[in-house]
Amino acid sequence: MMQDKKVIAIIPARFASTRFPGKPLVDLGGKPMIQRTYERVMAVQGWHRVVIATDDLQIKVVAEGFGAEVIMTHADHVSGTDRCAEVLSKISEDIDYVVNIQGDEPFIEPAQLQELASGFTSNAPILTLIKQIKDADTLFSVNTPKVVVNSRGEALYFSRQTIPHLRGKATEQWLASHTYFKHIGLYAYRADILMEISQLKPSPLELAESLEQLRWLENGYVIQTIETQYETMGIDTPEDLEKIKKMGLV
């Protein structure tokens, strides 16, 4: 499924999360969150390597305990992309693509990773997933980044606001009048591009929206989107964890 590409899956995991300290090691049905994420990634065939990237020795010990390869990274990275770039810089071999899977995605569908991998044949610089929005709560939530794309499926813009704005229509008519997409924060970077974008400085649009992918767009990089039919369920806060427990998923 890797389309004859040499692909590394990297799972960034840091202990000192502002909203949920120690999140990667939180117990989910007898396993730490990072292990559940790792096992989902390992369910996909064809990876050259699967690496957990962390700056925390506790995470390293736990991850190596369940058999994962771990590479230690600096503590001052502001994004998973930067952590992935450091890992790539430490690997002395030629790699085609790096896939960034956040460590707080213990319910990621392996099929989503396969969908992302389907774009490797295009040699696109950056690949990511989008999903059609079908409910008003998601459409108008500033916690859910939205994306608009061109006729080739390349991202034009990402925003926490609802885009596009439908002029002349009441907001309750928007979903029935236009197809809206939310962004699924799963990325694949061509290896040479990852090293380039990791050197970019924060950009005005990125700082305005607090969305790192806008930095890449502002600097002229193409982000190719792939539509997924699968829902994601990340865990950002202790409240998210409680919701998942109430749903009986763990």
Side-chain angles (χ1 to χ4, degrees):
M1 64 144 273
M2 295 301 169
Q3 311 296 331
D4 298 321
K5 302 288 187 181
K6 188 180 283 189
V7 184
I8 290 184
I10 301 178
I11 307 172
R14 65 190 185 101
F15 190 89
S17 168
T18 303
R19 290 183 291 179
F20 198 167
K23 180 169 57 174
L25 301 183
V26 167
D27 181 81
L28 291 180
K31 295 180 181 179
M33 185 188 304
I34 188 65
Q35 182 176 355
R36 290 195 174 273
T37 303
Y38 176 80
E39 289 174 350
R40 291 276 184 155
V41 175
M42 289 294 290
V44 175
Q45 301 297 312
W47 302 116
H48 179 62
R49 289 164 73 174
V50 177
V51 175
I52 291 175
T54 187
D55 57 6
D56 185 82
L57 286 174
Q58 296 175 76
I59 294 175
K60 179 179 187 292
V61 169
V62 169
E64 289 179 340
F66 58 74
E69 178 184 1
V70 179
I71 292 181
M72 295 298 290
T73 56
H74 297 303
D76 57 356
H77 290 307
V78 297
S79 71
T81 301
D82 294 335
R83 205 172 296 280
C84 287
E86 184 184 349
V87 170
L88 183 60
S89 72
K90 291 181 173 180
I91 293 174
S92 57
E93 56 183 315
D94 291 331
I95 299 298
D96 293 308
Y97 274 95
V98 171
V99 177
N100 176 358
I101 306 106
Q102 294 301 318
D104 57 5
E105 292 282 354
F107 303 106
I108 189 170
E109 290 289 344
Q112 287 184 305
L113 296 169
Q114 294 171 334
E115 289 172 331
L116 196 67
S118 71
F120 292 162
T121 53
S122 69
N123 208 37
I126 304 170
L127 295 155
T128 195
L129 298 183
I130 61 175
K131 188 177 189 299
Q132 185 176 348
I133 296 173
K134 297 186 177 180
D135 66 279
D137 287 345
T138 300
L139 183 63
F140 296 107
S141 171
V142 295
N143 295 318
T144 302
K146 271 69 70 175
V147 58
V148 288
V149 301
N150 65 18
S151 60
R152 297 182 296 276
E154 297 164 349
L156 292 171
Y157 192 70
F158 297 83
S159 181
R160 295 186 181 279
Q161 294 295 329
T162 307
I163 53 173
H165 175 90
L166 293 194
R167 184 178 179 185
K169 287 187 179 291
T171 53
E172 57 265 25
Q173 297 178 305
W174 285 16
L175 269 180
S177 304
H178 185 82
T179 301
Y180 287 89
F181 291 100
K182 67 177 179 177
H183 179 223
I184 306 296
L186 179 67
Y187 293 108
Y189 325 90
R190 217 171 64 208
D192 59 324
I193 298 297
L194 174 57
M195 299 314 294
E196 289 180 14
I197 63 177
S198 69
Q199 301 302 311
L200 299 174
K201 302 297 183 184
S203 66
L205 291 176
E206 174 194 8
L207 294 172
E209 296 258 19
S210 190
L211 296 172
E212 69 168 330
Q213 61 270 38
L214 292 175
R215 184 191 314 186
W216 313 334
L217 289 182
E218 279 191 86
N219 282 276
Y221 288 91
V222 172
I223 303 176
Q224 180 65 53
T225 69
I226 297 172
E227 186 176 355
T228 181
Q229 302 303 315
Y230 296 94
E231 196 58 74
T232 58
M233 197 176 301
I235 300 176
D236 292 323
T237 65
E239 290 74 23
D240 291 338
L241 179 60
E242 289 307 310
K243 288 179 186 177
I244 284 171
K245 288 181 176 179
K246 289 177 182 178
M247 294 169 67
L249 294 177
V250 293

